[in-house]
């Protein structure tokens, strides 16, 4: 079946503008994760959704970052008042949701460039 | 804490040689240790994982070993091929969030 998809694939914005990044997880996956990957760096955990539970927001770097997941499926990551240091690839992943001990399937990412 | 240290950050090997990447962690509650491979410009993909009830797992040219006492685990790639060139991430987790290592850029020289 279809894998995790993300849109847009690339986004160029001006400093101070808001951006929305979208993630469509694999159908039936109840767990969804957002990560940030700066150039040549590792995977920085941002937020985790599991079913109807309250999300784990412990990785969000500032209050300019927020995410929601409507209907337990599609998720949107919003960055308000973007800064140049927000430039990175934003990766979404999903898993079946039975626990953390399971394979995460990553989307292709959204490459964000803040000018 | 849930930190994981990964070494080396870069690794170059001749085609056919073996490559070893090591990770150490601090959270004694961790019981799941996956490894992901990220080719240039592509998404990370799981290549092998191990759970704490075993000490070693092998899949063709790839193997992972786990030492829970010492809190470290390693990825072993034998008979390396140019297509093994990529960034490899270790990770660990349990009933907490999965934490990724900083990655190892492996270059296999033909």
């Amino acid at each position: 079946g279809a894998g995790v998809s993300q849109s847009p694939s690339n986004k160029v914005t001006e400093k101070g503008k808001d951006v929305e990044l979208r993630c469509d997880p694999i159908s039936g996956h109840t767990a969804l994760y957002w990560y940030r990957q700066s150039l040549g760096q590792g995977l920085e955990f941002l937020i985790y959704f599991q079913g109807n539970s309250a999300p784990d927001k412990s990785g969000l770097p500032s209050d300019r970052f927020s995410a929601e997941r409507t209907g337990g499926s599609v998720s949107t990551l919003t960055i308000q008042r973007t800064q140049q240091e927000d430039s990175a690839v934003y990766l979404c992943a999903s898993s079946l949701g039975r626990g953390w001990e399971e394979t995460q399937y990553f989307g292709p990412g959204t490459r964000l460039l803040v000018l | 804490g849930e930190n994981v240290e990964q070494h080396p950050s870069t690794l170059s090997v001749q085609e056919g040689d073996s490559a070893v990447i090591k990770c150490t962690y601090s959270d004694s509650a961790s019981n799941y240790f996956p490894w992901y491979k990220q080719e240039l410009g592509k998404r990370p993909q799981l290549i092998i994982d191990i759970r704490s009830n075993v000490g070693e797992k092998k899949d063709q040219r790839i193997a992972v070993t786990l030492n829970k006492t010492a809190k470290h685990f390693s990825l072993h790639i034998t008979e390396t091929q140019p297509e093994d060139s990529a960034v490899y991430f270790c990770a660990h987790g349990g009933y907490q969030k999965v934490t990724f290592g900083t990655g190892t850029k492996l270059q296999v020289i033909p």
Side-chain angles (χ1 to χ4, degrees):
Chain A
V4 178
S5 61
Q6 292 185 245
S7 61
S9 55
N10 291 280
K11 177 70 175 179
V12 181
T13 190
E14 294 178 349
K15 178 182 174 181
K17 295 286 182 67
D18 297 351
V19 295
E20 284 189 354
L21 313 179
R22 176 187 170 106
C23 172
D24 283 86
I26 292 173
S27 178
H29 281 193
T30 62
L32 186 149
Y33 320 75
W34 283 99
Y35 296 92
R36 179 169 68 176
Q37 187 173 34
S38 300
L39 186 63
Q41 300 300 308
L43 298 166
E44 177 187 4
F45 167 79
L46 297 178
I47 188 168
Y48 162 58
F49 295 91
Q50 170 55 55
N52 296 320
S53 302
D56 177 354
K57 303 179 182 180
S58 59
L60 294 178
S62 77
D63 59 6
R64 297 187 295 104
F65 288 73
S66 63
E68 61 179 23
R69 189 178 184 193
T70 55
S73 181
V74 172
S75 177
T76 301
L77 177 69
T78 301
I79 309 174
Q80 296 177 309
R81 305 181 301 281
T82 52
Q83 303 295 313
Q84 289 181 331
E85 59 263 29
D86 298 334
S87 297
V89 175
Y90 289 81
L91 289 162
C92 172
S94 72
S95 66
L96 281 170
R98 300 196 194 106
W100 280 101
E101 297 180 21
E102 52 189 31
T103 302
Q104 295 186 28
Y105 295 86
F106 284 83
T110 293
R111 189 175 301 273
L112 174 66
L113 177 61
V114 181
L115 300 177
Chain B
E2 301 169 348
N3 294 331
V4 55
E5 295 184 4
Q6 184 171 346
H7 300 281
S9 57
T10 59
L11 179 59
S12 291
V13 299
Q14 290 292 134
E15 181 178 357
D17 288 349
S18 295
V20 180
I21 304 170
K22 297 181 179 180
C23 287
T24 59
Y25 62 98
S26 57
D27 186 357
S28 58
S30 296
N31 52 15
Y32 176 59
F33 306 89
W35 285 88
Y36 287 80
K37 175 184 180 182
Q38 186 177 30
E39 296 178 7
L40 186 62
K42 297 188 177 181
R43 70 193 78 185
Q45 291 188 303
L46 180 79
I47 54 171
I48 195 168
D49 59 15
I50 192 170
R51 287 167 174 76
S52 60
N53 56 342
V54 297
E56 183 174 3
K57 183 176 180 181
K58 189 174 182 179
D59 182 4
Q60 300 182 335
R61 296 186 298 107
I62 295 172
V64 57
T65 58
L66 170 65
N67 184 327
K68 285 213 75 178
T69 302
K71 295 183 184 175
H72 64 72
F73 56 111
S74 300
L75 177 71
H76 305 254
I77 306 174
T78 59
E79 301 172 28
T80 52
Q81 300 169 4
E83 53 263 39
D84 295 330
S85 296
V87 177
Y88 292 81
F89 293 97
C90 65
H92 74 100
Y95 288 104
Q96 303 170 31
K97 62 176 177 283
V98 168
T99 302
F100 284 86
T102 50
T104 295
K105 184 175 181 180
L106 173 64
Q107 181 182 17
V108 179
I109 304 168

